[in-house]
Amino acid sequence: DVKVTQSSRYLVKRTGEKVFLECVQDMDHENMFWYRQDPGLGLRLIYFSYDVKMKEKGDIPEGYSVSREKKERFSLILESASTNQTSMYLCASSDPSRGQETQYFGPGTRLLVL
Amino acid sequence: SQKIEQNSEALNIQEGKTATLTCNYTNYSPAYLQWYRQDPGRGPVFLLLIRENEKEKRKERLKVTFDTTLKQSLFHITASQPADSATYLCALVGGSSNTGKLIFGQGTTLQVKP
C-alpha cells in the first residue's frame, strides 16, 4: 500500500513565523502535491512537483514556497505565516506512468496561525 | 472557465437505501473521472475511476456512471450503511493529462441514519 505521511497532525504558530510542513511518500511516485482545504472552498492546489527539484505553481501559490530535494520528500514552506493561512494542509502523491493520476493523500496537517 | 459542481447540501438517507451523488462539469472534456471518500479530519481516499469510454463502473456496493454528453457523473452506494457517512469528492484531470493535476469538486456530505 502507498503510504504518505505528514510531519505533524496539528500545528500552532504565531504570525510572522516561518513554518515547514513535511511530506514523505514511500512508493517512488514522481508527482507530489500540496493542497489546502477550507470549508466551502474545497481542495485548492498550492504547488506540485513532477520530479526532484522541479516545481510548478498551482492555483494559490502566494505566500508559499516548496522544496523537493529528494524524490520521496516534498516540503511546503510558509515564509511568514499569516492568520489567513490557518487551514488544513494535505499532501498527495501519484504515479503518472500508470496513466490514471490517482492521488494518494496523507492524513493532513491542521495549522492554526495566531 | 472549467468548473466542477457537486451538491453542496448534505444528503441524508436511511440505512439500506441507495445514495446517489451528482458531479457536473462544464468547459471540460476529461479523459477520466475519479471519486474519493473523505472522513472528517482525514485525507481523501481514492474509490473509483471511470474512463470517458466507459458508461458504468462497479466495485462492491459502489457504482459510478459517466455521461460525457450530459457532462455528468453519478455515484451510487447501494444498501447504504451508517459507516458510509462521509464526504465524497469527484475529481477530473486538469489540463493536459500528463501533468498529473486533478481538479476536485467541493464534495457532498452523505449522512446515513440507522
Side-chain angles (χ1 to χ4, degrees):
Chain A
D1 279 351
V2 177
K3 191 162 185 184
V4 180
T5 57
Q6 295 183 228
S7 50
S8 306
R9 290 302 309 277
Y10 302 96
L11 269 181
V12 180
K13 296 292 182 181
R14 297 270 177 206
T15 301
E17 279 192 79
K18 191 168 186 175
V19 181
F20 293 87
L21 302 182
E22 301 267 314
C23 175
V24 178
Q25 50 95 3
D26 67 356
M27 282 301 290
D28 202 37
H29 282 176
E30 302 286 339
N31 293 346
M32 296 188 75
F33 308 83
W34 274 107
Y35 297 89
R36 64 178 283 178
Q37 188 173 33
D38 302 286
L41 297 177
L43 279 166
R44 293 183 290 168
L45 182 64
I46 304 171
Y47 267 97
F48 72 102
S49 168
Y50 49 89
D51 202 352
V52 174
K53 297 191 185 297
M54 305 300 286
K55 61 185 180 185
E56 282 198 26
K57 293 179 180 179
D59 301 317
I60 51 164
E62 297 77 19
Y64 303 94
S65 63
V66 290
S67 171
R68 193 161 179 206
E69 297 295 319
K70 293 184 178 181
K71 192 174 185 180
E72 67 271 18
R73 189 181 297 270
F74 192 34
S75 302
L76 180 69
I77 303 147
L78 286 65
E79 296 290 343
S80 177
S82 63
T83 54
N84 63 11
Q85 292 179 309
T86 291
S87 186
M88 171 71 127
Y89 289 88
L90 289 159
C91 174
S93 71
S94 70
D95 179 3
S97 66
R98 297 186 62 190
Q100 294 182 351
E101 314 300 2
T102 299
Q103 292 189 9
Y104 298 87
F105 285 83
T109 295
R110 193 168 291 281
L111 173 66
L112 173 62
V113 182
L114 300 173
Chain B
S1 62
Q2 298 167 333
K3 200 172 178 182
I4 302 174
E5 287 186 349
Q6 294 184 255
N7 193 343
S8 58
E9 291 184 16
L11 178 64
N12 296 299
I13 64 167
Q14 207 65 35
E15 183 176 9
K17 301 292 185 184
T18 295
T20 299
L21 286 69
T22 305
C23 176
N24 295 299
Y25 58 93
T26 56
N27 298 324
Y28 236 136
S29 295
Y32 51 81
L33 182 148
Q34 302 181 11
W35 283 89
Y36 290 77
R37 169 184 171 139
Q38 186 174 23
D39 292 288
R42 302 287 178 179
V45 175
F46 170 75
L47 294 175
L48 278 171
L49 177 149
I50 185 165
R51 301 186 187 282
E52 60 179 340
N53 61 352
E54 297 175 318
K55 296 295 183 188
E56 182 179 298
K57 201 82 168 278
R58 291 177 185 261
K59 180 182 175 182
E60 298 173 354
R61 295 184 295 111
L62 308 180
K63 184 178 86 170
V64 172
T65 63
F66 194 10
D67 189 325
T68 55
T69 302
L70 292 179
K71 295 187 181 295
Q72 181 181 79
S73 175
L74 298 178
F75 178 81
H76 307 271
I77 305 175
T78 58
S80 60
Q81 304 165 1
D84 296 325
S85 299
T87 296
Y88 292 87
L89 308 169
C90 69
L92 303 173
V93 175
S96 170
S97 63
N98 63 7
T99 67
K101 288 170 61 176
L102 292 176
I103 307 296
F104 285 86
Q106 290 191 18
T108 298
T109 298
L110 171 67
Q111 189 72 36
V112 181
K113 298 183 178 178

